[in-house]
Amino acid sequence: MEKDHKVLGRELGLFSFDENVPGVVYWWPKGYTLFNIVLGDLTKHLLTDGYQEIKTAGIISIDTLKKSGHFDNYHEKLFFVGNEKELAKPKWCLKPMSCPGSLMVFNEEMRSHKDLPVKFAEFGTVFRYEQAGEVNGLLRPRNFTQDDAHIYCNDDQIKPEIAKLIDFVFTTYKRYGFSEIRVELSTRPEKSIGSDEQWERAEEELKTALREKNVEYKINEGDGAFYGPKIDFHIKDSLGRSWQMGTIQLDFAMAERLSAAYVDADGQKKHPVMIHRAIIGSVERFIAILLEQSGGALPAWLAPVQATILPIADRHLEYAREIGRRLKAEGLRLEVDERNESIGHKIRDAEMQKIPYMLIVGDKEIEAKKVAVRQYGKGDKGQINVDELIRDILNK
């Protein structure tokens, strides 16, 4: 039977929850390491495509959300902030999404058409008051981190940018072992901003991009964002439930509502087209599904602890520490198990923690200047020299 990610989180020492504050997560050291590995992996790929990282404020004004249209569509999920007197008529709330803040950064300087596309990426923590019955661990918390980005472009840049984003999503999911991906094109909802012409054009742009990429998709009528249609990418959890993860949203309206502009080739001010996108969506939700799909047995490149060194007896400790220093110098994440326990006990504990590599050292390994390797799920691999071990782990 597959384990719930909430159970795995505690068993593997990754995270926990507080029943007194439903919908929030406490990341433990190993869990936060995993969290940052995911962010680092995404950041590495952002830099190759011209993104600039920004960080917007965690508190936003109600007036800004009213201008953008978010207040009318999200007011039931807002966390209002201020002292007791101010909360009688709140002016601010914790930010429920990052796009208004991104637009505020864009508006700080006037740009030329030659500067486009401008790509602002943000790992933004957002806050949404999910109902008590909706809260579900990392799958639906009340504050979470999105791998958000907003691309400001002109009309001619829409098609190539959408195409690159579709590729970005599929290559990312493949890297994490997700192959069964369901794609939906969500169309105009009942409550929306923008003209009929803008919506028709935006929907056709997304359909064309999917067709040209030979991506099979289903129409999800009326489930688009209030500011534009979107392509949603769904993956399944261990129970077969489908969760929306990444999204690509095409928006012709919000830049106009928040007065964002650039100077075109004729010297006239023009509103940019906005592409809102998240490759994995909620980082917390992504990690939950990743843990459930893998049962917590992550590949070495993702594992918070890639290897544990297990000295057989106290006399082998110094050699274990020496190997540990050498592996850490190569950037590997590891522990040295210095407990006064039998080697069998240490191996069982490492297996329970699903650590990819167990490196056993005793008299024979010291004499041969090697380590005895045991891989999770594969058993004993025999002795190996340290240089070969480093190459093996780094290639995983």
Side-chain angles (χ1 to χ4, degrees), residues 181-283:
I181 303 164
R182 182 168 58 84
V183 180
E184 291 182 351
L185 175 62
S186 298
T187 60
R188 188 176 189 173
E190 288 187 15
K191 293 176 64 175
S192 62
I193 61 174
S195 67
D196 292 345
E197 181 184 359
Q198 287 174 328
W199 275 89
E200 289 170 8
R201 183 180 166 208
E203 288 178 10
E204 189 55 39
E205 290 275 11
L206 295 184
K207 288 177 184 177
T208 300
L210 290 168
R211 285 196 298 265
E212 291 185 356
K213 283 292 182 182
N214 296 314
V215 176
E216 292 185 9
Y217 66 93
K218 292 183 178 180
I219 298 291
N220 187 7
E221 293 285 357
D223 201 42
F226 71 89
Y227 46 77
K230 57 179 182 165
I231 301 170
D232 288 332
F233 300 86
H234 297 251
I235 58 179
K236 291 182 178 180
D237 64 14
S238 60
L239 298 177
R241 296 172 299 186
S242 181
W243 293 88
Q244 186 226 306
M245 306 301 293
T247 186
I248 302 170
Q249 306 169 350
L250 187 53
D251 173 8
F252 289 96
M254 196 179 298
E256 181 177 355
R257 289 179 74 108
L258 290 182
S259 304
Y262 67 95
V263 178
D264 69 11
D266 298 322
Q268 302 298 312
K269 285 186 178 180
K270 192 172 182 179
H271 300 298
V273 178
M274 280 185 74
I275 301 173
H276 308 241
R277 75 102 186 106
I279 301 304
I280 65 172
S282 161
V283 178

Side-chain angles (χ1 to χ4, degrees), residues 317-337:
L317 263 177
E318 188 49 47
Y319 182 67
R321 292 168 181 160
E322 178 188 334
I323 297 298
R325 288 190 291 268
R326 187 170 173 185
L327 294 180
K328 283 185 177 180
E330 295 292 334
L332 299 181
R333 301 181 295 276
L334 62 89
E335 298 174 341
V336 178
D337 190 338

Side-chain angles (χ1 to χ4, degrees), residues 309-324 326 336 359-373 382-386:
I309 305 176
L310 311 178
I312 294 175
D314 286 348
R315 66 180 181 275
H316 308 126
L317 263 177
E318 188 49 47
Y319 182 67
R321 292 168 181 160
E322 178 188 334
I323 297 298
R326 187 170 173 185
V336 178
L359 313 179
I360 301 165
V361 296
D363 293 335
K364 294 180 180 179
E365 287 70 35
I366 293 175
E367 183 178 353
K369 296 184 179 179
K370 295 183 178 182
V371 295
V373 176
Q383 286 188 346
I384 187 173
N385 67 55
V386 177

